[in-house]
Amino acid sequence: MEQPRRIDARSLRGLAHPLRMTILEVLQLDGPATSTTLSSRLGESTGTISWHLRLLAEHGYIEEDVERGTKRERWWRAVPRQTILNQADFVDDPETKGSLQLYLRQLVQLYFDRVQNFVDEDWDGEWQHASEISDWRDLRLTKTQLRALNAELGEVINRHKAAADTRAADAQRADGQPADTETPADALPVVVQIQSFPRRPTG
């Protein structure tokens, strides 16, 4: 498995733009698209979308989907590789501080939009009951304990993701043999978001 990509200062500046982050979000969640379809969905001109697509490709976040593309229209897809951003990498880099703040603020906005879309959509009672929007505000943790909490949550999510990936791989077996496991017919894409951070007491 390919190692996660660690975002450096140059690639952060290439990504830290509201429209580029939104384009990448759409490609990651909904799959390959053309500048025309992205233009229609995001309400921007095809020229503007194409320019941002080229920048995302230049910085390695997306790539051309040559199997779908034609002479008249290019398809783009997100590069299937996990990215990691460590804020500590940029603490002593004042030139990157603005890009980091823009990136983080837009990331929070994208997270909010995902939840807002779920709330606004008409889901049946079972999906609403299975979903969760909760918070815990009374924890008192050290930095080490908070890192441990995040690591444990990540392990649980990765375990479920690995099982889902196995089911998806079995479903694509080309040897004609029955799959060892199958993805249930009612399975849908699910977003899990983790936000854990310290809060400065007031008063």
Side-chain angles (χ1 to χ4, degrees), residues 137 140 198-203:
R137 288 165 286 181
R140 297 189 71 87
R199 181 182 67 85
R200 287 192 171 91
T202 59

Side-chain angles (χ1 to χ4, degrees), residues 48-118:
T48 297
I49 294 293
S50 294
W51 186 76
H52 286 291
L53 284 169
R54 288 193 295 270
L55 279 177
L56 286 169
E58 177 184 331
H59 289 278
Y61 293 105
I62 67 172
E63 61 189 6
E64 189 172 355
D65 189 343
V66 294
E67 294 181 357
R68 294 173 182 263
T70 66
K71 292 182 179 179
R72 297 183 58 184
E73 198 159 38
R74 302 169 74 181
W75 284 74
W76 298 92
R77 63 187 176 194
V79 173
R81 183 181 180 186
Q82 182 184 6
T83 57
I84 297 176
L85 183 143
N86 187 344
Q87 296 183 52
D89 291 344
F90 309 104
V91 170
D92 299 322
D93 185 0
E95 294 184 2
T96 311
K97 184 176 181 180
S99 296
L100 178 62
Q101 286 297 313
L102 193 156
Y103 170 83
L104 293 174
R105 288 180 179 276
Q106 180 62 18
L107 190 64
V108 170
Q109 183 63 52
L110 289 173
Y111 286 172
F112 170 81
D113 289 343
R114 295 174 188 170
V115 179
Q116 188 68 63
N117 288 339
F118 166 73

Side-chain angles (χ1 to χ4, degrees), residues 187-199:
L188 292 176
V190 169
V191 173
V192 179
Q193 302 181 171
I194 298 177
Q195 291 100 41
S196 61
F197 44 85
R199 181 182 67 85

